[in-house]
Amino acid sequence: MNKIQMRNVFAFCVGFLALFAGCAGFTEDVSGNTSDNNSVDRRQIESQYALARVAQSGKVERSSADDSITITFEQNGGCVKDGESFAYDQNFYFANSKTYAYSFRDDTLLLTRIYEPGPYEVNQERYEESFIFVGGTPGKLDGIWENTQCRYREEKIYCMNDGYDQYFKFDGDNVEYRVADHEDYDYMQTVFVDQLFDFLGNGGSIQLETPYYYSDTKYGQESSGIVILEKTNNTVKFTHADLTFELSVDYARYKDSLHVTLKSGDVSCVGTVRDMDDVLPGMCSDDNADYLWKSSSGAYTYERMNSNEFETCIDGILGRKREL
């Protein structure tokens, strides 16, 4: 799969259909009951919600039987293309709706949907799954709920380990969705690091897009000749091909920006990403045409990264010619 295809996959994954679940994180079957895990501090969740940043807001419509809800997230204003030029349109409007059945099990809220496979999911059958939320008042939809990253599928529980928390506040006809980076999340055990190790050993490419930093996976050092010397949640020291490397995630903010450094000897390779779903008026210009990508809403998002420079720098450390 090439970079454009991978971009499309993750554009799909971080869209509205996947608000309640990670797309590329490591999924673990932890069949059983979640009651022991759901003894949550409601005040703590409310405090975490207050510190999280607003990602989307919109409306909630409840069914007459009060057993399902339709969540509609709205976008007011956006970066659009007017002829051959980009311009920010204050009057741009887009609404995306999704309906869920909702119910309560003990102190958890369950939002249930029928999952329809995406365009890149071959041999995947449709199925029903229920996303598990905690923190609100049992039996009452209104309130602040945290996504546990767990879900029921055929009465088995599957949990993700993505590097960001998701919160929903239901208040009458209104809903607000917020996200916050996990404290002490292990950035050194993610898809990004796995790809970096593979690149060191086998070449290819490194995806710097933000979702790769937030999706848990196992190390790929065995196949890449990597030997880990030291490790924290955001740094790792390792050897490869008789060289010693130090990798650090210097700054990470989900769906916003990233800064990563790989050092070996006196050489430092820096990878950067700037990522915006809602493009600011000042960024919506022809000067940024190479970094503007049309989304499913019709508006453009902004994504800028230095993947080629990062890969070329690493190839230089290895004494390897860059294949264009």
Side-chain angles (χ1 to χ4, degrees), residues 192-236:
F192 161 72
V193 174
D194 192 55
Q195 287 190 342
L196 174 62
F197 287 168
D198 188 60
F199 179 83
L200 287 168
N202 305 308
S205 63
I206 303 170
Q207 308 295 335
L208 286 178
E209 286 91 339
T210 56
Y212 292 94
Y213 289 79
Y214 290 89
S215 301
D216 181 85
T217 188
K218 295 181 179 179
Y219 283 136
Q221 67 260 33
E222 291 184 2
S223 60
S224 304
I226 304 294
V227 177
I228 303 296
L229 302 177
E230 300 173 8
K231 176 184 172 298
T232 69
N233 70 302
N234 56 13
T235 64
V236 63

Side-chain angles (χ1 to χ4, degrees), residues 66-113:
D66 201 27
D67 59 0
S68 68
I69 56 174
T70 298
I71 300 174
T72 302
F73 284 121
E74 301 171 314
Q75 179 180 349
N76 293 284
C79 181
V80 299
K81 202 167 187 180
D82 184 7
E84 295 300 317
S85 297
F86 291 96
Y88 191 85
D89 184 0
Q90 298 280 0
N91 297 316
F92 177 85
Y93 176 81
F94 179 75
N96 199 351
S97 299
K98 190 72 176 178
T99 299
Y100 296 86
Y102 79 92
S103 59
F104 298 92
R105 181 180 296 187
D106 298 325
D107 59 350
T108 65
L109 165 67
L110 303 180
L111 295 183
T112 303
R113 69 172 185 181

Side-chain angles (χ1 to χ4, degrees), residues 23-97:
C23 253
F26 173 72
T27 304
E28 180 181 2
D29 183 351
V30 288
S31 306
N33 192 297
T34 60
S35 59
D36 291 340
N37 297 325
N38 292 334
S39 298
V40 296
D41 186 330
R42 192 166 297 140
R43 290 184 179 179
Q44 181 181 3
I45 288 179
E46 291 174 354
S47 297
Q48 292 168 340
Y49 170 85
L51 295 173
R53 68 185 186 277
V54 178
Q56 290 180 295
S57 60
K59 300 297 183 182
V60 177
E61 182 180 352
R62 310 186 192 208
S63 65
S64 57
D66 201 27
D67 59 0
S68 68
I69 56 174
T70 298
I71 300 174
T72 302
F73 284 121
E74 301 171 314
Q75 179 180 349
N76 293 284
C79 181
V80 299
K81 202 167 187 180
D82 184 7
E84 295 300 317
S85 297
F86 291 96
Y88 191 85
D89 184 0
Q90 298 280 0
N91 297 316
F92 177 85
Y93 176 81
F94 179 75
N96 199 351
S97 299

Side-chain angles (χ1 to χ4, degrees), residues 147-200:
N147 180 9
T148 64
Q149 296 198 28
C150 293
R151 73 198 77 170
Y152 288 110
R153 188 186 302 171
E154 298 178 354
E155 291 306 308
K156 290 184 178 180
I157 296 173
Y158 299 84
C159 293
M160 308 297 291
N161 186 28
D162 290 332
Y164 55 97
D165 296 314
Q166 301 178 87
Y167 303 92
F168 290 79
K169 181 179 181 179
F170 297 104
D171 183 13
D173 297 334
N174 300 309
V175 60
E176 189 173 72
Y177 166 58
R178 297 191 179 194
V179 295
D181 287 66
H182 258 325
E183 290 187 12
D184 301 323
Y185 181 68
D186 192 350
Y187 293 100
M188 295 297 108
Q189 192 162 326
T190 58
V191 172
F192 161 72
V193 174
D194 192 55
Q195 287 190 342
L196 174 62
F197 287 168
D198 188 60
F199 179 83
L200 287 168

Side-chain angles (χ1 to χ4, degrees), residues 109-324:
L109 165 67
L110 303 180
L111 295 183
T112 303
R113 69 172 185 181
I114 302 296
Y115 183 84
E116 299 288 352
Y120 297 98
E121 297 173 287
V122 296
N123 301 322
Q124 175 66 66
E125 298 180 356
R126 68 197 299 268
Y127 56 83
E128 181 181 285
E129 62 182 350
S130 298
F131 303 99
I132 305 171
F133 294 79
V134 296
T137 302
K140 182 179 179 181
L141 181 64
D142 282 354
I144 295 171
W145 295 91
E146 179 183 7
N147 180 9
T148 64
Q149 296 198 28
C150 293
R151 73 198 77 170
Y152 288 110
R153 188 186 302 171
E154 298 178 354
E155 291 306 308
K156 290 184 178 180
I157 296 173
Y158 299 84
C159 293
M160 308 297 291
N161 186 28
D162 290 332
Y164 55 97
D165 296 314
Q166 301 178 87
Y167 303 92
F168 290 79
K169 181 179 181 179
F170 297 104
D171 183 13
D173 297 334
N174 300 309
V175 60
E176 189 173 72
Y177 166 58
R178 297 191 179 194
V179 295
D181 287 66
H182 258 325
E183 290 187 12
D184 301 323
Y185 181 68
D186 192 350
Y187 293 100
M188 295 297 108
Q189 192 162 326
T190 58
V191 172
F192 161 72
V193 174
D194 192 55
Q195 287 190 342
L196 174 62
F197 287 168
D198 188 60
F199 179 83
L200 287 168
N202 305 308
S205 63
I206 303 170
Q207 308 295 335
L208 286 178
E209 286 91 339
T210 56
Y212 292 94
Y213 289 79
Y214 290 89
S215 301
D216 181 85
T217 188
K218 295 181 179 179
Y219 283 136
Q221 67 260 33
E222 291 184 2
S223 60
S224 304
I226 304 294
V227 177
I228 303 296
L229 302 177
E230 300 173 8
K231 176 184 172 298
T232 69
N233 70 302
N234 56 13
T235 64
V236 63
K237 185 176 182 180
F238 61 92
T239 61
H240 168 74
D242 298 324
L243 295 171
T244 299
F245 293 86
E246 294 182 41
L247 172 68
S248 63
V249 174
D250 309 308
Y251 179 81
R253 193 181 190 201
Y254 181 68
K255 293 299 292 177
D256 181 84
S257 55
L258 293 159
H259 189 284
V260 60
T261 303
L262 180 69
K263 296 180 181 180
S264 182
D266 296 328
V267 181
S268 294
C269 302
V270 175
T272 60
V273 181
R274 184 70 174 96
D275 191 1
M276 288 186 292
D277 282 340
D278 295 325
V279 178
L280 300 174
M283 305 291 287
C284 183
S285 68
D286 294 342
D287 291 339
N288 291 320
D290 291 341
Y291 315 115
L292 295 171
W293 302 85
K294 193 171 185 179
S295 68
S296 58
S297 70
Y300 283 77
T301 62
Y302 178 93
E303 186 179 61
R304 183 174 185 174
M305 66 193 72
N306 67 336
S307 300
N308 288 334
E309 292 87 347
F310 188 58
E311 293 168 357
T312 299
C313 179
I314 297 172
D315 281 331
I317 293 175
L318 297 173
R320 189 167 62 188
K321 283 189 176 182
R322 181 79 178 138
E323 295 183 7
L324 300 178

